[in-house]
Amino acid sequence: MLNPTGHHGRNARLLAPLLWLPLVILSPQPSGAEIYRYTDENGTVHLSNVPSDPRYRRVSPPPRRRAPRLAPAEVNRLVARYARRHDLPPALLRAVIKTESDFNPVAVSRAGAMGLMQLMPQTALTLNVRNPFDPEQNVRGGSAHLRALLDRFEGNLTLALGAYNAGITAVERYNALPPYRETRRFVQKVLRNYRQFLAISAAASRRALTPFWTSTPQRPLVSSARPTR
């Protein structure tokens, strides 16, 4: 758990929304999966889902490769590395991965989001993620994206997660969590998984701090006194 007065002070409020419950459920947001790109004469890369210039070319996502879900040791390595790099609670990063892909590195959503942290093609390009199906690249980009959203919304976890799902524009338009059914369900699931992973982490810490002799059956002491007749 984060210490509000310590090194992770800017993340102290990430624990506050864990009791949040959605109050409004309306229709889902529209979404599109096709992204187009071109590079102008100045070397600037332009991205759009509406190709208004003939220079735009459709960005094709890399082909999926068949792969099993990641081994727990690999998940732990990626979570630990990028949670530390971007000053995120490991339980939060793990919760987003669990909610988005259930630890499946080749998962693809109906909207075209890809990989462990379900990066959209445009987001992946912006984050310099060349292959969203590569676990290392995906978690590197997704964790950086989540950190940027938390900074943008001043540590408000609910809004940051809403923007992760629905986009920054939608959150800023409503100045609150957007009333999209998909987004509200996503935030609720992430917070639930976050609570569970925090509890698992706390239990593991307690076990690690328990002295070994408290869990070892004790033999009765051998008395030096002679038995009475």
Side-chain angles (χ1 to χ4, degrees):
M1 185 174 293
L2 300 178
N3 180 358
T5 61
H7 172 68
H8 300 289
R10 67 173 177 173
N11 289 331
R13 284 184 291 172
L14 298 187
L15 301 177
L18 295 182
L19 298 179
W20 173 89
L21 292 175
L23 300 177
V24 181
I25 297 179
L26 297 178
S27 59
Q29 69 186 71
S31 61
E34 292 189 347
I35 300 298
Y36 298 82
R37 171 183 180 174
Y38 83 85
T39 304
D40 63 23
E41 58 276 7
N42 297 318
T44 302
V45 176
H46 298 262
L47 300 170
S48 177
N49 61 342
V50 182
S52 57
D53 189 289
R55 291 174 291 178
Y56 274 111
R57 295 292 181 269
R58 185 175 180 274
V59 176
S60 298
R64 280 194 291 173
R65 51 186 175 82
R66 294 188 178 184
R69 281 171 172 75
L70 291 182
E74 179 66 8
V75 173
N76 293 339
R77 183 186 71 81
L78 291 174
V79 168
R81 178 177 183 181
Y82 291 105
R84 182 168 57 250
R85 175 178 296 187
H86 297 293
D87 197 16
L88 295 168
L92 174 60
L93 187 53
R94 188 183 295 270
V96 173
I97 296 172
K98 169 67 176 176
T99 305
E100 287 283 26
S101 67
D102 196 23
F103 303 104
N104 182 359
V106 295
V108 178
S109 74
R110 288 177 297 177
M114 299 173 286
L116 287 172
M117 298 189 71
Q118 290 291 276
L119 302 178
M120 291 296 290
Q122 182 173 359
T123 304
L125 288 172
T126 302
L127 296 167
N128 196 32
V129 174
R130 303 293 183 182
N131 181 4
F133 299 119
D134 177 75
E136 185 91 24
Q137 293 187 43
N138 193 287
V139 176
R140 170 178 57 77
S143 58
H145 184 46
L146 181 59
R147 176 73 264 168
L149 293 173
L150 284 165
D151 290 343
R152 187 182 188 105
F153 293 104
E154 300 180 343
N156 187 313
L157 178 57
T158 299
L159 295 186
L161 292 174
Y164 193 97
N165 179 266
I168 294 172
T169 302
V171 174
E172 292 183 338
R173 181 190 306 133
Y174 290 96
N175 196 29
L177 189 66
Y180 306 143
R181 179 181 303 163
E182 176 189 342
T183 300
R184 288 177 175 259
R185 285 178 176 173
F186 169 79
V187 172
Q188 187 179 29
K189 288 179 180 178
V190 173
L191 295 179
R192 182 172 64 245
N193 288 329
Y194 187 18
R195 285 193 297 267
Q196 292 175 349
F197 287 130
L198 281 173
I200 292 171
S201 177
S205 296
R206 286 195 298 271
R207 286 195 298 269
L209 294 174
T210 301
F212 74 92
W213 58 83
T214 63
S215 58
T216 303
Q218 299 295 309
R219 294 182 178 181
L221 294 176
V222 178
S223 175
S224 60
R226 295 182 179 180
T228 58
R229 295 180 180 179

